[in-house]
PDB file of all heavy atoms in Angstrom:
ATOM      1  N   ASN Q  70     -13.411   6.063   3.058  1.00  0.00           N
ATOM      2  CA  ASN Q  70     -12.552   5.297   3.986  1.00  0.00           C
ATOM      3  C   ASN Q  70     -13.359   4.225   4.658  1.00  0.00           C
ATOM      4  O   ASN Q  70     -14.369   4.507   5.333  1.00  0.00           O
ATOM      5  CB  ASN Q  70     -11.955   6.246   5.023  1.00  0.00           C
ATOM      6  CG  ASN Q  70     -10.895   5.589   5.909  1.00  0.00           C
ATOM      7  OD1 ASN Q  70     -10.913   4.391   6.141  1.00  0.00           O
ATOM      8  ND2 ASN Q  70      -9.954   6.396   6.342  1.00  0.00           N
ATOM      9  N   GLU Q  71     -12.935   2.956   4.540  1.00  0.00           N
ATOM     10  CA  GLU Q  71     -13.622   1.815   5.159  1.00  0.00           C
ATOM     11  C   GLU Q  71     -12.915   1.282   6.377  1.00  0.00           C
ATOM     12  O   GLU Q  71     -13.010   0.081   6.677  1.00  0.00           O
ATOM     13  CB  GLU Q  71     -13.817   0.709   4.111  1.00  0.00           C
ATOM     14  CG  GLU Q  71     -14.709   1.103   2.956  1.00  0.00           C
ATOM     15  CD  GLU Q  71     -14.857   0.000   1.907  1.00  0.00           C
ATOM     16  OE1 GLU Q  71     -13.805  -0.394   1.337  1.00  0.00           O
ATOM     17  OE2 GLU Q  71     -15.947  -0.450   1.702  1.00  0.00           O
ATOM     18  N   ALA Q  72     -12.221   2.163   7.093  1.00  0.00           N
ATOM     19  CA  ALA Q  72     -11.415   1.722   8.251  1.00  0.00           C
ATOM     20  C   ALA Q  72     -12.268   1.101   9.354  1.00  0.00           C
ATOM     21  O   ALA Q  72     -11.715   0.372  10.201  1.00  0.00           O
ATOM     22  CB  ALA Q  72     -10.615   2.873   8.812  1.00  0.00           C
ATOM     23  N   GLU Q  73     -13.561   1.338   9.362  1.00  0.00           N
ATOM     24  CA  GLU Q  73     -14.432   0.804  10.434  1.00  0.00           C
ATOM     25  C   GLU Q  73     -14.858  -0.616  10.150  1.00  0.00           C
ATOM     26  O   GLU Q  73     -15.754  -1.155  10.786  1.00  0.00           O
ATOM     27  CB  GLU Q  73     -15.665   1.713  10.627  1.00  0.00           C
ATOM     28  CG  GLU Q  73     -16.729   1.598   9.554  1.00  0.00           C
ATOM     29  CD  GLU Q  73     -16.479   2.369   8.255  1.00  0.00           C
ATOM     30  OE1 GLU Q  73     -15.340   2.858   8.049  1.00  0.00           O
ATOM     31  OE2 GLU Q  73     -17.394   2.424   7.430  1.00  0.00           O
ATOM     32  N   ASN Q  74     -14.192  -1.352   9.203  1.00  0.00           N
ATOM     33  CA  ASN Q  74     -14.602  -2.667   8.799  1.00  0.00           C
ATOM     34  C   ASN Q  74     -14.172  -3.779   9.738  1.00  0.00           C
ATOM     35  O   ASN Q  74     -14.458  -4.968   9.495  1.00  0.00           O
ATOM     36  CB  ASN Q  74     -14.088  -2.978   7.371  1.00  0.00           C
ATOM     37  CG  ASN Q  74     -12.558  -2.980   7.285  1.00  0.00           C
ATOM     38  OD1 ASN Q  74     -11.857  -3.113   8.245  1.00  0.00           O
ATOM     39  ND2 ASN Q  74     -12.075  -2.818   6.042  1.00  0.00           N
ATOM     40  N   GLY Q  75     -13.449  -3.498  10.820  1.00  0.00           N
ATOM     41  CA  GLY Q  75     -13.046  -4.470  11.759  1.00  0.00           C
ATOM     42  C   GLY Q  75     -11.719  -5.135  11.549  1.00  0.00           C
ATOM     43  O   GLY Q  75     -11.197  -5.843  12.381  1.00  0.00           O
ATOM     44  N   LEU Q  76     -11.150  -4.944  10.321  1.00  0.00           N
ATOM     45  CA  LEU Q  76      -9.829  -5.495   9.999  1.00  0.00           C
ATOM     46  C   LEU Q  76      -8.752  -4.671  10.710  1.00  0.00           C
ATOM     47  O   LEU Q  76      -8.898  -3.458  10.855  1.00  0.00           O
ATOM     48  CB  LEU Q  76      -9.618  -5.554   8.511  1.00  0.00           C
ATOM     49  CG  LEU Q  76     -10.579  -6.420   7.744  1.00  0.00           C
ATOM     50  CD1 LEU Q  76     -10.407  -6.261   6.223  1.00  0.00           C
ATOM     51  CD2 LEU Q  76     -10.460  -7.892   8.132  1.00  0.00           C
ATOM     52  N   LYS Q  77      -7.653  -5.324  11.085  1.00  0.00           N
ATOM     53  CA  LYS Q  77      -6.613  -4.658  11.861  1.00  0.00           C
ATOM     54  C   LYS Q  77      -5.333  -4.490  11.076  1.00  0.00           C
ATOM     55  O   LYS Q  77      -4.999  -5.271  10.202  1.00  0.00           O
ATOM     56  CB  LYS Q  77      -6.286  -5.513  13.147  1.00  0.00           C
ATOM     57  CG  LYS Q  77      -7.505  -5.803  14.007  1.00  0.00           C
ATOM     58  CD  LYS Q  77      -8.026  -4.496  14.635  1.00  0.00           C
ATOM     59  CE  LYS Q  77      -9.177  -4.787  15.588  1.00  0.00           C
ATOM     60  NZ  LYS Q  77      -9.896  -3.579  15.918  1.00  0.00           N
ATOM     61  N   ASN Q  78      -4.604  -3.423  11.403  1.00  0.00           N
ATOM     62  CA  ASN Q  78      -3.288  -3.149  10.804  1.00  0.00           C
ATOM     63  C   ASN Q  78      -2.269  -4.008  11.513  1.00  0.00           C
ATOM     64  O   ASN Q  78      -1.453  -3.507  12.290  1.00  0.00           O
ATOM     65  CB  ASN Q  78      -2.971  -1.653  10.909  1.00  0.00           C
ATOM     66  CG  ASN Q  78      -3.703  -0.835   9.879  1.00  0.00           C
ATOM     67  OD1 ASN Q  78      -3.323  -0.815   8.728  1.00  0.00           O
ATOM     68  ND2 ASN Q  78      -4.792  -0.188  10.270  1.00  0.00           N
ATOM     69  N   ARG Q  87      -3.467   7.645   3.001  1.00  0.00           N
ATOM     70  CA  ARG Q  87      -4.290   8.850   2.789  1.00  0.00           C
ATOM     71  C   ARG Q  87      -3.616  10.021   3.413  1.00  0.00           C
ATOM     72  O   ARG Q  87      -2.593   9.868   4.126  1.00  0.00           O
ATOM     73  CB  ARG Q  87      -5.678   8.629   3.426  1.00  0.00           C
ATOM     74  CG  ARG Q  87      -5.606   8.393   4.924  1.00  0.00           C
ATOM     75  CD  ARG Q  87      -7.048   8.363   5.513  1.00  0.00           C
ATOM     76  NE  ARG Q  87      -7.085   8.049   6.924  1.00  0.00           N
ATOM     77  CZ  ARG Q  87      -6.903   8.891   7.933  1.00  0.00           C
ATOM     78  NH1 ARG Q  87      -6.596  10.169   7.663  1.00  0.00           N
ATOM     79  NH2 ARG Q  87      -7.014   8.533   9.182  1.00  0.00           N
ATOM     80  N   ILE Q  91      -9.745  12.272   5.975  1.00  0.00           N
ATOM     81  CA  ILE Q  91     -10.159  10.884   6.190  1.00  0.00           C
ATOM     82  C   ILE Q  91     -10.487  10.134   4.905  1.00  0.00           C
ATOM     83  O   ILE Q  91     -10.159   8.983   4.741  1.00  0.00           O
ATOM     84  CB  ILE Q  91     -11.367  10.819   7.175  1.00  0.00           C
ATOM     85  CG1 ILE Q  91     -10.928  11.273   8.563  1.00  0.00           C
ATOM     86  CG2 ILE Q  91     -11.964   9.416   7.215  1.00  0.00           C
ATOM     87  CD1 ILE Q  91     -12.092  11.527   9.512  1.00  0.00           C
ATOM     88  N   ASN Q 105       0.415  -2.503  13.912  1.00  0.00           N
ATOM     89  CA  ASN Q 105       0.304  -1.032  14.134  1.00  0.00           C
ATOM     90  C   ASN Q 105      -1.107  -0.680  14.580  1.00  0.00           C
ATOM     91  O   ASN Q 105      -1.859  -0.050  13.830  1.00  0.00           O
ATOM     92  CB  ASN Q 105       0.653  -0.274  12.823  1.00  0.00           C
ATOM     93  CG  ASN Q 105       2.124  -0.385  12.475  1.00  0.00           C
ATOM     94  OD1 ASN Q 105       2.997  -0.082  13.330  1.00  0.00           O
ATOM     95  ND2 ASN Q 105       2.413  -0.787  11.245  1.00  0.00           N
ATOM     96  N   PRO Q 106      -1.457  -1.081  15.824  1.00  0.00           N
ATOM     97  CA  PRO Q 106      -2.865  -0.862  16.258  1.00  0.00           C
ATOM     98  C   PRO Q 106      -3.265   0.594  16.319  1.00  0.00           C
ATOM     99  O   PRO Q 106      -4.445   0.891  16.193  1.00  0.00           O
ATOM    100  CB  PRO Q 106      -2.908  -1.523  17.642  1.00  0.00           C
ATOM    101  CG  PRO Q 106      -1.492  -1.652  18.105  1.00  0.00           C
ATOM    102  CD  PRO Q 106      -0.669  -1.778  16.834  1.00  0.00           C
ATOM    103  N   PHE Q 107      -2.281   1.507  16.462  1.00  0.00           N
ATOM    104  CA  PHE Q 107      -2.665   2.947  16.472  1.00  0.00           C
ATOM    105  C   PHE Q 107      -3.144   3.399  15.128  1.00  0.00           C
ATOM    106  O   PHE Q 107      -3.708   4.502  15.010  1.00  0.00           O
ATOM    107  CB  PHE Q 107      -1.468   3.799  16.975  1.00  0.00           C
ATOM    108  CG  PHE Q 107      -0.264   3.828  16.040  1.00  0.00           C
ATOM    109  CD1 PHE Q 107      -0.148   4.862  15.106  1.00  0.00           C
ATOM    110  CD2 PHE Q 107       0.667   2.822  16.035  1.00  0.00           C
ATOM    111  CE1 PHE Q 107       0.929   4.893  14.233  1.00  0.00           C
ATOM    112  CE2 PHE Q 107       1.741   2.839  15.188  1.00  0.00           C
ATOM    113  CZ  PHE Q 107       1.883   3.865  14.257  1.00  0.00           C
ATOM    114  N   LEU Q 108      -2.987   2.615  14.041  1.00  0.00           N
ATOM    115  CA  LEU Q 108      -3.532   2.970  12.740  1.00  0.00           C
ATOM    116  C   LEU Q 108      -4.947   2.437  12.501  1.00  0.00           C
ATOM    117  O   LEU Q 108      -5.578   2.702  11.503  1.00  0.00           O
ATOM    118  CB  LEU Q 108      -2.636   2.423  11.623  1.00  0.00           C
ATOM    119  CG  LEU Q 108      -1.196   2.969  11.594  1.00  0.00           C
ATOM    120  CD1 LEU Q 108      -0.406   2.326  10.472  1.00  0.00           C
ATOM    121  CD2 LEU Q 108      -1.134   4.463  11.474  1.00  0.00           C
ATOM    122  N   ASP Q 109      -5.409   1.618  13.468  1.00  0.00           N
ATOM    123  CA  ASP Q 109      -6.760   1.037  13.390  1.00  0.00           C
ATOM    124  C   ASP Q 109      -7.842   2.081  13.609  1.00  0.00           C
ATOM    125  O   ASP Q 109      -7.595   3.145  14.267  1.00  0.00           O
ATOM    126  CB  ASP Q 109      -6.951  -0.122  14.358  1.00  0.00           C
ATOM    127  CG  ASP Q 109      -6.067  -1.297  14.015  1.00  0.00           C
ATOM    128  OD1 ASP Q 109      -5.628  -1.443  12.873  1.00  0.00           O
ATOM    129  OD2 ASP Q 109      -5.863  -2.124  14.991  1.00  0.00           O
ATOM    130  N   HIS Q 110      -9.037   1.804  13.155  1.00  0.00           N
ATOM    131  CA  HIS Q 110     -10.199   2.675  13.338  1.00  0.00           C
ATOM    132  C   HIS Q 110     -10.421   3.030  14.811  1.00  0.00           C
ATOM    133  O   HIS Q 110     -10.486   2.105  15.627  1.00  0.00           O
ATOM    134  CB  HIS Q 110     -11.418   2.030  12.766  1.00  0.00           C
ATOM    135  CG  HIS Q 110     -12.682   2.849  12.950  1.00  0.00           C
ATOM    136  ND1 HIS Q 110     -12.841   4.089  12.411  1.00  0.00           N
ATOM    137  CD2 HIS Q 110     -13.787   2.590  13.678  1.00  0.00           C
ATOM    138  CE1 HIS Q 110     -14.076   4.541  12.761  1.00  0.00           C
ATOM    139  NE2 HIS Q 110     -14.640   3.676  13.529  1.00  0.00           N
ATOM    140  N   GLY Q 111     -10.551   4.301  15.085  1.00  0.00           N
ATOM    141  CA  GLY Q 111     -10.912   4.750  16.419  1.00  0.00           C
ATOM    142  C   GLY Q 111      -9.848   4.767  17.473  1.00  0.00           C
ATOM    143  O   GLY Q 111     -10.055   5.243  18.585  1.00  0.00           O
ATOM    144  N   THR Q 112      -8.646   4.283  17.167  1.00  0.00           N
ATOM    145  CA  THR Q 112      -7.572   4.247  18.165  1.00  0.00           C
ATOM    146  C   THR Q 112      -7.080   5.642  18.457  1.00  0.00           C
ATOM    147  O   THR Q 112      -7.007   6.092  19.586  1.00  0.00           O
ATOM    148  CB  THR Q 112      -6.420   3.315  17.719  1.00  0.00           C
ATOM    149  OG1 THR Q 112      -6.955   2.042  17.487  1.00  0.00           O
ATOM    150  CG2 THR Q 112      -5.354   3.245  18.750  1.00  0.00           C
ATOM    151  N   ARG Q 113      -6.716   6.373  17.386  1.00  0.00           N
ATOM    152  CA  ARG Q 113      -6.300   7.773  17.580  1.00  0.00           C
ATOM    153  C   ARG Q 113      -7.109   8.721  16.701  1.00  0.00           C
ATOM    154  O   ARG Q 113      -7.182   9.896  16.936  1.00  0.00           O
ATOM    155  CB  ARG Q 113      -4.796   7.953  17.315  1.00  0.00           C
ATOM    156  CG  ARG Q 113      -4.427   7.729  15.869  1.00  0.00           C
ATOM    157  CD  ARG Q 113      -2.961   8.037  15.588  1.00  0.00           C
ATOM    158  NE  ARG Q 113      -2.823   7.920  14.147  1.00  0.00           N
ATOM    159  CZ  ARG Q 113      -1.773   8.232  13.461  1.00  0.00           C
ATOM    160  NH1 ARG Q 113      -0.764   8.712  14.076  1.00  0.00           N
ATOM    161  NH2 ARG Q 113      -1.774   8.086  12.185  1.00  0.00           N
ATOM    162  N   ASP Q 114      -7.680   8.140  15.627  1.00  0.00           N
ATOM    163  CA  ASP Q 114      -8.547   8.907  14.740  1.00  0.00           C
ATOM    164  C   ASP Q 114      -9.391   7.925  13.959  1.00  0.00           C
ATOM    165  O   ASP Q 114      -9.530   6.781  14.375  1.00  0.00           O
ATOM    166  CB  ASP Q 114      -7.772   9.863  13.831  1.00  0.00           C
ATOM    167  CG  ASP Q 114      -6.844   9.196  12.845  1.00  0.00           C
ATOM    168  OD1 ASP Q 114      -6.901   7.983  12.656  1.00  0.00           O
ATOM    169  OD2 ASP Q 114      -6.028   9.923  12.219  1.00  0.00           O
ATOM    170  N   PHE Q 115      -9.837   8.285  12.785  1.00  0.00           N
ATOM    171  CA  PHE Q 115     -10.702   7.384  12.020  1.00  0.00           C
ATOM    172  C   PHE Q 115      -9.997   6.143  11.584  1.00  0.00           C
ATOM    173  O   PHE Q 115     -10.596   5.042  11.466  1.00  0.00           O
ATOM    174  CB  PHE Q 115     -11.284   8.081  10.783  1.00  0.00           C
ATOM    175  CG  PHE Q 115     -12.453   7.342  10.163  1.00  0.00           C
ATOM    176  CD1 PHE Q 115     -13.722   7.455  10.671  1.00  0.00           C
ATOM    177  CD2 PHE Q 115     -12.236   6.513   9.079  1.00  0.00           C
ATOM    178  CE1 PHE Q 115     -14.791   6.738  10.127  1.00  0.00           C
ATOM    179  CE2 PHE Q 115     -13.299   5.806   8.522  1.00  0.00           C
ATOM    180  CZ  PHE Q 115     -14.561   5.924   9.052  1.00  0.00           C
ATOM    181  N   GLY Q 116      -8.713   6.216  11.337  1.00  0.00           N
ATOM    182  CA  GLY Q 116      -7.879   5.041  10.995  1.00  0.00           C
ATOM    183  C   GLY Q 116      -7.670   4.877   9.497  1.00  0.00           C
ATOM    184  O   GLY Q 116      -8.067   5.699   8.668  1.00  0.00           O
ATOM    185  N   TYR Q 117      -6.979   3.781   9.191  1.00  0.00           N
ATOM    186  CA  TYR Q 117      -6.586   3.465   7.798  1.00  0.00           C
ATOM    187  C   TYR Q 117      -7.216   2.137   7.399  1.00  0.00           C
ATOM    188  O   TYR Q 117      -7.164   1.165   8.141  1.00  0.00           O
ATOM    189  CB  TYR Q 117      -5.065   3.391   7.681  1.00  0.00           C
ATOM    190  CG  TYR Q 117      -4.426   4.764   7.924  1.00  0.00           C
ATOM    191  CD1 TYR Q 117      -4.253   5.246   9.201  1.00  0.00           C
ATOM    192  CD2 TYR Q 117      -4.035   5.556   6.881  1.00  0.00           C
ATOM    193  CE1 TYR Q 117      -3.718   6.487   9.422  1.00  0.00           C
ATOM    194  CE2 TYR Q 117      -3.494   6.775   7.053  1.00  0.00           C
ATOM    195  CZ  TYR Q 117      -3.321   7.285   8.366  1.00  0.00           C
ATOM    196  OH  TYR Q 117      -2.813   8.499   8.584  1.00  0.00           O
ATOM    197  N   ALA Q 118      -7.868   2.112   6.235  1.00  0.00           N
ATOM    198  CA  ALA Q 118      -8.654   0.948   5.797  1.00  0.00           C
ATOM    199  C   ALA Q 118      -7.824  -0.227   5.364  1.00  0.00           C
ATOM    200  O   ALA Q 118      -7.154  -0.169   4.331  1.00  0.00           O
ATOM    201  CB  ALA Q 118      -9.607   1.347   4.668  1.00  0.00           C
ATOM    202  N   VAL Q 119      -7.867  -1.307   6.142  1.00  0.00           N
ATOM    203  CA  VAL Q 119      -7.230  -2.566   5.766  1.00  0.00           C
ATOM    204  C   VAL Q 119      -8.133  -3.207   4.723  1.00  0.00           C
ATOM    205  O   VAL Q 119      -9.336  -3.264   4.893  1.00  0.00           O
ATOM    206  CB  VAL Q 119      -7.051  -3.502   6.966  1.00  0.00           C
ATOM    207  CG1 VAL Q 119      -6.498  -4.868   6.514  1.00  0.00           C
ATOM    208  CG2 VAL Q 119      -6.127  -2.868   8.011  1.00  0.00           C
TER     209      VAL Q 119
END
Side-chain angles (χ1 to χ4, degrees):
N70 188 331
E71 296 178 299
E73 75 280 11
N74 63 19
L76 299 173
K77 304 293 182 194
N78 282 283
R87 63 173 174 82
I91 292 169
N105 289 308
F107 67 95
L108 299 178
D109 293 340
H110 177 64
T112 303
R113 67 173 186 173
D114 65 11
F115 195 82
Y117 294 79
V119 175

